[in-house]
């Protein structure tokens, strides 16, 4: 499915970020992310506001050149033809320089790979769902006689909402609901394959999500990014519950008690130590491992999660800290930074399209906003020293935890720097001779 970690570092074929370079033995899916540009019928999404500015600038430059040329022809503007030629050349160069990347986003970004080979460029979105499902079931069938890890990263329910015709208008919740219905069906197909191969009682299945619904993702009156219920905020917000609280659904007949509901804070980082434990391995001892083995909690051997503190980041910026107080059962959350919602009073950053992690779009809180999630899961009523007797004690305890946490961190290269995120043609995966990159090997 969706890898979204990129492919190359220094050359078109070094594949330093590829899944096969990070522990996986087989890969089929998107090496980049899914964006609306991948769906020809959708409004382009990638750098939409910046693209509008570039297009406006191109039109302005073109208008200046055209005005100067007409002025020269009519004798109203004394400008040399050489100057006009230079202006026209600059206008063309400016247009080509940005349109060569943005105008072909679907070809550059929306590609499918099998291992190191590009199989579709651009991807044919109408059949992507069936291809990923086919590969998943095939993988289970090929590996049924030995231990395996299948990591299936859905393109559902991410915008654009790729939904096959069979599932359109099924849900009373519109296109988003249709998309979720199809995802549910895909999960069922994978579970059926596990059951069919006799692996049901020996396979742990974990269904989760990487973030909450994207509240700002709307087209006209259509809500395309989901809904987060009682929880405040959404995707791209590093602290609010709506951005970070996601489903965690497990299945392992004969090992995990059916119908159990566990109301304990866990993390997607727990997948790693849990899988290592089940595979009979040992986690590295030369670094801090933030995740915890989930099996004791899932099997009912312990009552509480091993996570006393969870640190919630937005990018590299610490926005909030959660303290699970074991003796009382209280779950405190302190917000040090929160996004400024726009328009004021809204529950998201609708004017921007998503909430920033730093700068003028956030508010720093000193003292931090404090909530008791066990009593106020919607984070509606911040506590204070006047309303909560334990306020100062809790803030001091969380502050000491942050200091200890920061002592375990080591600097790493900035992965989201301007240089690292800008498009580099020489690193572009290509199934032809660059820039003539298009192929459809799935039809073959």
């Amino acid at each position: 499915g969706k890898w979204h970690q990129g492919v190359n570092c220094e050359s078109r074929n070094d594949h330093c970020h590829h899944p096969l370079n990070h522990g996986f033995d087989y890969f089929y899916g998107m090496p980049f992310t899914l964006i609306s540009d991948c769906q020809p019928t959708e409004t382009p999404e990638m750098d939409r506001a910046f693209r509008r500015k570039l297009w406006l600038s191109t039109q302005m430059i073109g208008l200046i050149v055209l005005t100067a040329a007409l002025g020269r022809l009519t004798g109203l503007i004394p400008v040399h033809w050489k100057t006009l030629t230079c202006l026209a050349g600059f206008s063309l160069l400016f247009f080509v320089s940005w349109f060569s990347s943005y105008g072909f986003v679907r070809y550059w970004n929306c590609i499918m790979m099998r291992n190191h080979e590009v199989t579709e460029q651009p991807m044919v979105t109408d059949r992507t769902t069936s291809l990923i499902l086919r590969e998943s079931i095939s993988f289970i069938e090929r590996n049924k006689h030995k231990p395996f890890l299948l990591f299936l990263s859905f393109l559902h329910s991410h915008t654009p909402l790729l939904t096959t015709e069979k599932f359109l208008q099924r849900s009373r919740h519109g296109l988003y609901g249709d998309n979720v219905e199809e995802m549910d069906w895909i999960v069922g197909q994978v579970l059926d394959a596990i059951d069919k191969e006799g692996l049901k009682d020996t396979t742990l299945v974990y269904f989760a999500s990487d973030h909450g619904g994207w509240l700002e993702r709307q087209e006209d009156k259509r809500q395309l990014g989901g809904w987060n219920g009682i929880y405040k905020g959404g995707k791209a917000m590093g602290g609010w519950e709506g951005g970070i609280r996601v489903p965690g659904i497990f299945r392992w007949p004969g090992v995990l008690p059916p119908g159990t509901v566990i109301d304990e804070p866990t993390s997607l980082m727990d997948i790693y130590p849990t899988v290592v434990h089940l595979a009979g391995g040992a986690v590295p001892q030369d670094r801090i491992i933030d995740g915890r083995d989930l099996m004791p909690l899932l099997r009912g051997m312990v009552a509480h999660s091993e996570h006393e503190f969870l640190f919630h980041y937005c990018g590299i910026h610490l926005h909030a800290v959660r303290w699970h107080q074991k003796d009382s059962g209280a779950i405190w959350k302190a917000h040090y930074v929160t996004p400024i919602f726009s328009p004021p009073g809204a529950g998201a950053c609708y004017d921007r399209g998503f909430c920033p992690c730093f700068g003028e779009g956030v508010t720093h809180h000193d003292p931090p906003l404090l909530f008791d999630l066990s009593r106020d899961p919607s984070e509606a009523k911040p506590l204070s020293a006047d309303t909560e007797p334990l306020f100062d004690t809790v803030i001091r305890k969380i502050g000491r935890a942050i200091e200890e946490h920061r002592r375990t961190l080591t600097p790493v290269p900035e992965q989201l720097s301007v240089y690292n995120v800008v498009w580099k043609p020489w690193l572009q995966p290509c199934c032809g001779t660059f820039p003539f990159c298009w192929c459809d090997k799935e039809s073959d």
Side-chain angles (χ1 to χ4, degrees):
K2 189 181 73 166
W3 175 240
H4 199 174
Q5 303 295 321
V7 180
N8 301 314
C9 286
E10 303 297 334
S11 68
R12 183 164 292 135
N13 296 311
D14 65 24
H15 293 168
C16 68
H17 297 305
H18 193 280
L20 300 194
N21 226 20
H22 290 274
F24 289 94
D25 301 307
Y26 182 82
F27 170 64
Y28 181 78
M30 290 191 73
F32 307 125
T33 191
L34 181 65
I35 49 178
S36 293
D37 302 68
C38 299
Q39 185 82 326
T41 57
E42 293 286 323
T43 304
E45 175 186 344
M46 187 174 180
D47 297 332
R48 185 183 298 178
F50 184 53
R51 243 195 281 194
R52 285 175 183 155
K53 292 178 181 177
L54 288 172
W55 183 239
L56 180 62
S57 300
T58 302
Q59 290 175 311
M60 293 297 293
I61 295 172
L63 186 62
I64 290 171
V65 173
L66 183 61
T67 302
L70 289 173
R72 176 69 176 81
L73 289 171
T74 58
L76 295 175
I77 302 176
V79 59
H80 295 291
W81 285 114
K82 183 183 287 188
T83 304
L84 274 175
T85 303
C86 289
L87 275 173
F90 172 77
S91 176
L92 181 63
L93 187 64
F94 177 76
F95 173 72
V96 170
S97 66
W98 69 264
F99 192 79
S100 60
S101 56
Y102 285 118
F104 297 94
V105 167
R106 184 163 164 257
Y107 282 86
W108 303 146
N109 264 48
C110 309
I111 65 177
M112 296 290 285
M113 297 182 75
R114 180 179 286 106
N115 293 326
H116 291 300
E117 181 185 24
V118 177
T119 59
E120 289 182 305
Q121 191 167 13
M123 61 193 284
V124 183
T125 54
D126 290 343
R127 67 186 183 197
T128 304
T129 297
S130 61
L131 290 176
I132 291 176
L133 177 58
R134 183 190 71 184
E135 292 282 342
S136 301
I137 294 175
S138 174
F139 179 84
I140 293 171
E141 293 170 348
R142 294 197 309 271
N143 293 278
K144 62 185 177 183
H145 296 302
K146 60 184 179 181
F148 66 82
L149 169 68
L150 169 62
F151 174 52
L152 174 53
S153 182
F154 293 101
L155 301 189
H156 300 60
S157 50
H158 193 291
T159 56
L161 296 168
L162 303 182
T163 310
T164 57
E165 189 174 352
K166 174 183 171 184
F167 286 89
L168 290 175
Q169 298 183 337
R170 268 205 183 190
S171 169
R172 60 190 178 92
H173 297 290
L175 182 59
Y176 186 88
D178 296 338
N179 197 256
V180 172
E181 293 253 5
E182 184 167 39
M183 179 174 65
D184 180 65
W185 174 79
I186 297 170
V187 172
Q189 294 294 300
V190 174
L191 294 180
D192 287 347
I194 292 172
D195 297 351
K196 177 186 173 185
E197 301 300 337
L199 303 172
K200 183 176 182 178
D201 294 337
T202 56
T203 304
L204 171 66
V205 178
Y206 181 14
F207 178 88
S209 178
D210 54 346
H211 53 68
W214 187 4
L215 301 181
E216 295 93 347
R217 189 66 177 93
Q218 301 172 331
E219 291 290 350
D220 299 322
K221 294 183 179 180
R222 293 193 304 165
Q223 175 61 30
L224 302 178
W227 178 65
N228 297 318
I230 67 170
Y231 303 112
K232 180 180 288 188
K235 176 183 176 178
M237 303 183 206
W240 294 120
E241 289 292 280
I244 57 180
R245 187 184 286 242
V246 297
I249 304 173
F250 294 81
R251 187 190 84 154
W252 194 353
V255 178
L256 304 183
T260 303
V261 177
I262 299 173
D263 189 18
E264 289 284 306
T266 61
S267 166
L268 289 181
M269 293 185 289
D270 297 335
I271 293 174
Y272 173 59
T274 302
V275 168
V276 168
H277 165 74
L278 292 175
V283 297
Q285 300 299 309
D286 61 342
R287 71 203 73 178
I288 298 295
I289 300 297
D290 294 305
R292 301 289 186 267
D293 179 12
L294 287 171
M295 290 311 297
L297 182 66
L298 295 176
R299 300 181 71 174
M301 299 165 61
V302 298
H304 295 293
S305 164
E306 287 188 46
H307 290 287
E308 183 178 8
F309 294 95
L310 285 171
F311 303 90
H312 302 302
Y313 281 82
C314 186
I316 61 172
H317 305 276
L318 182 66
H319 274 209
V321 180
R322 180 187 313 254
W323 176 31
H324 188 204
Q325 193 174 357
K326 295 293 193 296
D327 53 355
S328 70
I331 302 177
W332 306 97
K333 176 105 83 68
H335 289 261
Y336 293 85
V337 182
T338 57
I340 299 173
F341 293 148
S342 57
C349 303
Y350 293 102
D351 292 356
R352 293 173 176 262
F354 63 90
C355 288
C357 296
F358 62 96
E360 296 180 355
V362 302
T363 299
H364 295 263
H365 302 280
D366 186 14
L369 299 178
L370 182 66
F371 300 91
D372 180 357
L373 298 183
S374 56
R375 293 181 291 173
D376 181 19
S378 299
E379 298 174 289
K381 300 176 182 177
L383 304 171
S384 66
D386 296 329
T387 60
E388 175 52 63
L390 295 175
F391 182 88
D392 292 329
T393 303
V394 171
I395 294 300
R396 281 196 301 271
K397 178 77 173 180
I398 293 176
R400 287 194 294 269
I402 292 174
E403 292 175 7
E404 184 177 339
H405 164 67
R406 283 180 169 153
R407 282 195 291 270
T408 70
L409 303 180
T410 53
V412 295
E414 174 60 59
Q415 295 185 27
L416 298 178
S417 65
V418 173
Y419 176 77
N420 281 336
V421 300
V422 71
W423 181 61
K424 303 179 182 68
W426 59 92
L427 299 183
Q428 177 67 51
C430 181
C431 63
T433 302
F434 187 85
F436 305 104
C437 303
W438 54 79
C439 63
D440 182 2
K441 297 178 183 178
E442 293 297 345
S443 291
D444 300 339

